[in-house]
């Protein structure tokens, strides 16, 4: 399942919604601050569109992946890029993700070290 995280992050780094669509179902839930928890594939993809529009360039680099059991994982990421009109952006993120037996994301939640960029 660790490769599922690598595969998901590769698709996320593509910045292409059609690559991300395969990871979510109508039952998926994500929480990426500062947004509130969002459920359902269409709403999740709309959130990613909005996130991608905020940046001239953005990429995520995974540094550690920890298996928590029951298809749950915790992983550390550094997010790097340029926010539109705000200059360079870098942040450390911890993510909890749970996959279904079919490899879809059931739940994903990000925790940011620095939230000043979102205020």
């Amino acid at each position: 399942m660790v490769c599922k995280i690598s595969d998901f992050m590769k698709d996320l780094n593509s910045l292409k919604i059609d690559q991300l669509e395969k990871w979510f179902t109508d039952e998926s839930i994500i929480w990426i601050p500062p947004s509130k928890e969002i459920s359902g594939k269409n709403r999740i993809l709309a959130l990613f569109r909005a996130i991608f529009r905020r940046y001239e360039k953005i990429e995520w680099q995974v540094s550690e992946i920890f298996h928590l059991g029951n298809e749950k994982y915790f992983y550390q990421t550094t997010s790097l890029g340029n926010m539109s009109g705000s200059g360079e952006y870098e942040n450390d993120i911890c993510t909890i993700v749970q996959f279904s037996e079919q490899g879809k994301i059931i739940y994903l939640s990000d925790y940011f070290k620095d939230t000043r960029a979102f205020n």
Side-chain angles (χ1 to χ4, degrees):
M1 196 57 79
V2 170
C3 70
K4 283 277 188 210
I5 292 169
S6 298
D7 290 345
F8 170 68
M9 294 306 292
K10 180 180 177 185
D11 288 340
L12 183 62
N13 276 321
S14 78
L15 306 179
K16 295 180 181 174
I17 296 302
D18 61 333
Q19 295 285 353
L20 289 176
E21 186 174 9
K22 65 185 171 198
W23 292 101
F24 299 101
T25 70
D26 290 336
E27 289 75 38
S28 297
I29 298 171
I30 67 167
W31 182 27
I32 302 175
S35 297
K36 296 182 187 219
E37 195 172 86
I38 294 175
S39 61
K41 179 165 64 172
N42 291 336
R43 293 182 70 207
I44 291 168
L45 296 176
L47 175 63
F48 279 113
R49 278 186 201 94
I51 291 169
F52 296 163
R53 280 194 302 268
R54 290 188 70 189
Y55 297 87
E56 294 169 4
K57 177 186 172 192
I58 188 165
E59 69 174 289
W60 293 267
Q61 299 171 348
V62 177
S63 57
E64 298 278 349
I65 300 172
F66 303 93
H67 183 243
L68 302 176
N70 194 28
E71 305 300 327
K72 285 185 183 177
Y73 293 83
F74 173 90
Y75 61 96
Q76 295 174 287
T77 308
T78 300
S79 176
L80 306 157
N82 289 33
M83 291 185 87
S84 298
S86 297
E88 290 185 12
Y89 169 83
E90 182 175 338
N91 208 346
D92 293 316
I93 305 166
C94 291
T95 301
I96 296 174
V97 64
Q98 182 173 13
F99 294 95
S100 69
E101 290 179 8
Q102 296 77 30
K104 304 290 184 176
I105 294 173
I106 296 171
Y107 183 78
L108 183 146
S109 183
D110 281 343
Y111 300 88
F112 295 89
K113 183 165 185 158
D114 184 356
T115 59
R116 288 178 290 176
F118 308 122
N119 297 326

